[in-house]
Amino acid sequence: VKVSRREAVKACVATAALQAADLAWPFRSVAAAERDGFRWINKHQNVEATVWRHYDVWNHGAEGAGVGPASWRGGFTALRDILQEAQARGRGVRAVGRRWSLSPVAVCPDIMINTMPLNYHVVGLPASDLSTSRVDPSRLVFAQCGTSVLELSLTLESKGLSLPTSGASNGQTICGAIATGTHGSARRVGAMQDYILGFHLLGDDGRHYWVERASKPVVSEAFCQRLGATLRRDDRLFRAAVVSFGSFGIIHAVLFEAVPLYLLEVHRRRLDWPTVRDAAATLDLDHLRLPYRGVEPFHFEVAVNPYSAKPGQRGAVVTAMYKQPYREFARRRAGDVTMVPGVDLLAVSGRLATVLPAAIPAGVNSMLNAMMHMHALPVLGTHREIFDTTELVGKSLSAELGVDLADAGAAIDTFSAIAADVRRTCDVHERSVGQVSAARMNDDSYQHTITERGTVLLANRCRLREREVGQARHDGVGGPVTDAHVAVEQRERHVALEEQGQVGIGLAASRRHRAQL
Amino acid sequence: MLIVSGACAHFRVAPDSLSAATLEERRRVQAIAWGALEPLVAPANCNGNGMASVMVTMTVTDTVVAVITLGFVRPVTIEWTCAKTQGMGDL
């Protein structure tokens, strides 16, 4: 192997720099608890895998070694050591947050890292850490990857600040939410990754970088020197790495600007879907009898019972949240014990629906009723208080599609039509890769199959295509569905099923499609 | 029975201001001889921290075992997650 003189010099410099950094940092890797042959399972218990080695990475040792100022260095060193070990052994690595993904995207058969203990966060940076005056240094937040949205919100609230938005939940870790492209919950604010200003990226060979946009530089060289990181300002690199599903090194920490603390005032109405339909597509809410006529809500959502979508059936629950300046107010104190949905509620409901599909519309209706009775409206609270921690446990599945706002009404009409059809033809197969898959087959039953990724009803996509409704999956893959797209999706699904020995589990129709492919 | 056969009774303790630092750990335990011997679960994975949540699960099978043995054996499953360290600080 020929090595140029320049490369040799670079390697020597890099090695020397790493050794110098080791000497400069007081904390060695005292903080990674490893387990081999670990059985990993995601939050919603629909993805399981055996992992060669699993690490819980902490910032400090079990006896408290490393606790204190700048204790993030202990966790960072542990991450770096794991990466170097993996590289030496030729193993892959994936860092994981709260494990909320319903797909196997987080699974790595070699080494998986639980980053949840890495929760060091700092609010406010000295002006010398900045290279711009466009941001308020007192509102800048440096947060380690495992810091949860709940932790950030609690800390920020104590300082009169708030997250600009969240994924309508407090449960995720900040980097898990960002790296997987989690949506926001506020109009005109964007998704969570949209407010990230820069991040600390750990790459191979222990090299680490501070990455931010060239078009929006924020930190100074002094800041990077304190981290020991190389500064990279590059818009394309930033965009590629910020939502990278854990495949672009390990994002150790992020920097964002918090906003002044605010309250959300929640109003909810039960209305007919046809009454709401136009508002859902235009966000012109004047005829919905909401307060603050003419004022744009901070958050607007419509929950629709697809089985009660006709006039007079009051099949829609409209929720509008209005942003208010923060003020102290009397909070209702919950008792020590409250009744919440049980761990097995979803599983039992699924079985009940299988035995008695006619009960599904009433079940959905009771959920909408519960939404109306959950609070004595209007409800007032901070972002954290209004969006809870989503601690629903037990097996569950969700499917999401993004459509253009103007197509929202048509999309929901489409789903309503499909829902009635699916109710007649679908069943729940707990052991199926598809989770929910067609049980009683008919000619187009394959198209009623939810993919194992839990992200899309292929049937919905096809029907939407018929109506010329553009769409995107929750993971951002999207655009108009073409015949080739459908064929590829069917083929991918079949290959995945075949690899996992799942062909034949209630998927007779897929064999027919296989022949067509 | 067919519908609820997978159902269990779960009892959870989980302060709403705490975030979990670890994945769920689970142990099957039994109290023996009407409580003369009882299990003590000492989590070793919390890195010196306390716990963020504890859940006790009692299945239909556990209940049947307790009834058949007239309470001599009382099995349950205990599951916990560890709490995080206080994370606020300076760079």
Side-chain angles (χ1 to χ4, degrees):
Chain A
V1 179
K2 287 186 177 178
V3 179
S4 69
R5 182 178 297 175
R6 188 176 175 186
E7 284 171 328
V9 169
K10 277 171 69 178
C12 289
V13 169
T15 305
L18 280 174
Q19 288 173 347
D22 278 349
L23 290 173
W25 289 0
F27 306 116
R28 292 294 303 151
S29 179
V30 294
E34 66 191 58
R35 281 190 278 185
D36 294 346
F38 187 80
R39 191 70 183 154
W40 186 89
I41 185 166
N42 70 339
K43 167 81 175 171
H44 298 294
Q45 301 174 23
N46 70 318
V47 178
E48 288 186 51
T50 299
V51 182
W52 177 70
R53 184 166 289 175
H54 182 271
Y55 287 96
D56 286 330
V57 178
W58 298 80
N59 283 326
H60 60 87
E63 290 77 35
V67 173
S71 67
W72 62 268
R73 292 186 188 279
F76 177 78
T77 306
L79 288 177
R80 201 183 57 177
D81 289 350
I82 292 168
L83 280 191
Q84 289 178 326
E85 181 201 0
Q87 199 163 16
R89 292 172 177 265
R91 296 277 186 173
V93 180
R94 183 63 53 86
V96 182
R98 282 300 302 275
R99 303 167 294 137
W100 276 19
S101 179
L102 290 152
S103 78
V105 68
V107 173
C108 171
D110 291 342
I111 297 174
M112 291 181 72
I113 301 173
N114 166 29
T115 62
M116 288 190 285
L118 302 178
N119 65 334
Y120 201 80
H121 53 286
V122 177
V123 180
L125 295 181
S128 59
D129 278 348
L130 305 185
S131 62
T132 177
S133 58
R134 288 185 299 183
V135 294
D136 180 349
S138 68
R139 299 204 319 227
L140 287 179
V141 182
F142 174 90
Q144 240 184 336
C145 50
T147 314
S148 70
V149 172
L150 175 66
E151 289 175 283
L152 283 171
S153 290
L154 286 167
T155 299
L156 290 172
E157 283 177 25
S158 71
K159 296 178 177 297
L161 298 170
S162 172
L163 291 170
T165 189
S166 72
S169 174
N170 299 323
Q172 303 102 327
T173 62
I174 186 73
C175 280
I178 289 162
T180 54
T182 299
H183 54 79
S185 52
R187 199 176 171 202
R188 302 190 196 284
V189 174
M192 291 185 73
Q193 62 273 13
D194 289 331
Y195 55 77
I196 297 303
L197 298 171
F199 51 87
H200 188 199
L201 181 70
L202 179 58
D204 55 6
D205 288 332
R207 288 174 292 190
H208 52 114
Y209 307 91
W210 182 262
V211 182
E212 59 183 24
R213 298 180 188 90
S215 60
K216 195 174 182 181
V218 178
V219 301
S220 64
E221 284 285 355
F223 174 85
C224 295
Q225 284 170 7
R226 281 208 287 150
L227 294 182
T230 304
L231 177 60
R232 292 289 301 273
R233 287 188 176 130
D234 185 323
D235 283 30
R236 289 185 67 219
L237 175 64
F238 180 92
R239 286 198 300 270
V242 72
V243 181
S244 53
F245 300 92
S247 301
F248 208 115
I250 294 177
I251 297 180
H252 166 250
V254 294
L255 184 74
F256 66 90
E257 187 175 13
V259 298
L261 185 59
Y262 55 87
L263 294 175
L264 292 176
E265 185 178 316
V266 184
H267 294 264
R268 205 163 262 173
R269 298 278 185 272
R270 184 85 181 255
L271 299 165
D272 289 341
W273 163 241
T275 305
V276 179
R277 191 182 185 283
D278 286 344
T282 62
L283 297 184
D284 178 1
L285 312 180
D286 282 352
H287 67 289
L288 296 185
R289 296 187 291 116
L290 292 167
Y292 307 114
R293 196 179 167 84
V295 176
E296 186 177 285
F298 179 80
H299 171 103
F300 176 71
E301 67 178 63
V302 182
V304 180
N305 180 351
Y307 308 104
S308 303
K310 293 176 182 167
Q313 294 184 319
R314 293 168 61 78
V317 171
V318 172
T319 304
M321 301 182 189
Y322 296 89
K323 191 174 180 178
Q324 309 281 5
Y326 185 79
R327 65 180 186 279
E328 290 299 330
F329 67 99
R331 288 173 167 83
R332 283 181 299 170
R333 293 197 177 276
D336 289 341
V337 180
T338 53
M339 296 301 282
V340 297
V343 171
D344 296 313
L345 179 65
L346 289 171
V348 172
S349 302
R351 290 183 185 195
L352 184 64
T354 302
V355 175
L356 196 60
I360 295 174
V364 177
N365 204 39
S366 67
M367 289 169 66
L368 261 60
N369 288 338
M371 288 179 71
M372 292 306 298
H373 293 111
M374 208 169 283
H375 309 288
L377 299 173
V379 170
L380 197 62
T382 62
H383 194 96
R384 170 187 63 86
E385 291 168 318
I386 295 299
F387 296 109
D388 65 16
T389 309
T390 321
E391 280 301 342
L392 186 66
V393 288
K395 292 187 173 181
S396 56
L397 181 76
S398 77
E400 301 177 23
L401 275 178
V403 300
D404 189 279
L405 181 64
D407 293 327
I412 293 176
D413 285 344
T414 306
F415 299 155
S416 297
I418 292 171
D421 204 11
V422 169
R423 179 159 58 106
R424 289 196 299 273
T425 61
C426 276
D427 196 357
V428 176
H429 290 263
E430 286 185 31
R431 296 182 188 284
S432 158
V433 170
Q435 292 291 316
V436 180
S437 53
R440 276 170 276 174
M441 297 298 162
N442 55 37
D443 286 342
D444 62 349
S445 57
Y446 181 81
Q447 297 198 344
H448 290 151
T449 301
I450 295 179
T451 71
E452 73 281 8
R453 297 179 179 87
T455 51
V456 62
L457 271 165
L458 187 57
N460 286 358
R461 306 192 75 195
C462 294
R463 296 271 187 96
L464 290 172
R465 180 180 55 158
E466 288 167 14
R467 294 184 179 212
E468 298 181 343
V469 173
Q471 60 204 268
R473 292 190 336 212
H474 191 52
D475 56 10
V477 176
V481 181
T482 64
D483 289 338
H485 195 161
V486 172
V488 167
E489 200 157 279
Q490 287 172 338
R491 187 161 51 237
E492 282 180 350
R493 170 164 172 71
H494 186 85
V495 168
L497 291 169
E498 206 164 47
E499 283 174 352
Q500 298 181 45
Q502 296 290 337
V503 171
I505 298 182
L507 287 170
S510 73
R511 285 194 286 272
R512 285 199 293 276
H513 280 270
R514 184 187 183 195
Q516 292 170 14
L517 293 170
Chain B
M1 254 330 260
L2 184 68
I3 294 169
V4 300
S5 60
C8 313
H10 302 275
F11 304 89
R12 277 185 278 167
V13 180
D16 59 9
S17 60
L18 289 182
S19 298
T22 60
L23 280 58
E24 297 78 12
E25 283 286 331
R26 197 173 290 127
R27 297 287 184 276
R28 284 283 294 162
V29 294
Q30 298 94 25
I32 307 291
W34 302 280
L37 290 173
E38 62 186 21
L40 174 64
V41 179
N45 66 323
C46 290
N47 207 40
N49 289 4
M51 280 177 274
S53 68
V54 176
M55 183 165 78
V56 177
T57 299
M58 193 181 299
T59 66
V60 174
T61 307
D62 294 339
T63 306
V64 170
V65 168
V67 168
I68 289 174
T69 62
L70 299 177
F72 186 84
V73 178
R74 300 286 297 270
V76 295
T77 301
I78 295 180
E79 182 179 297
W80 71 90
T81 60
C82 301
K84 296 186 175 189
T85 311
Q86 171 57 251
M88 181 70 181
D90 300 318
L91 263 183

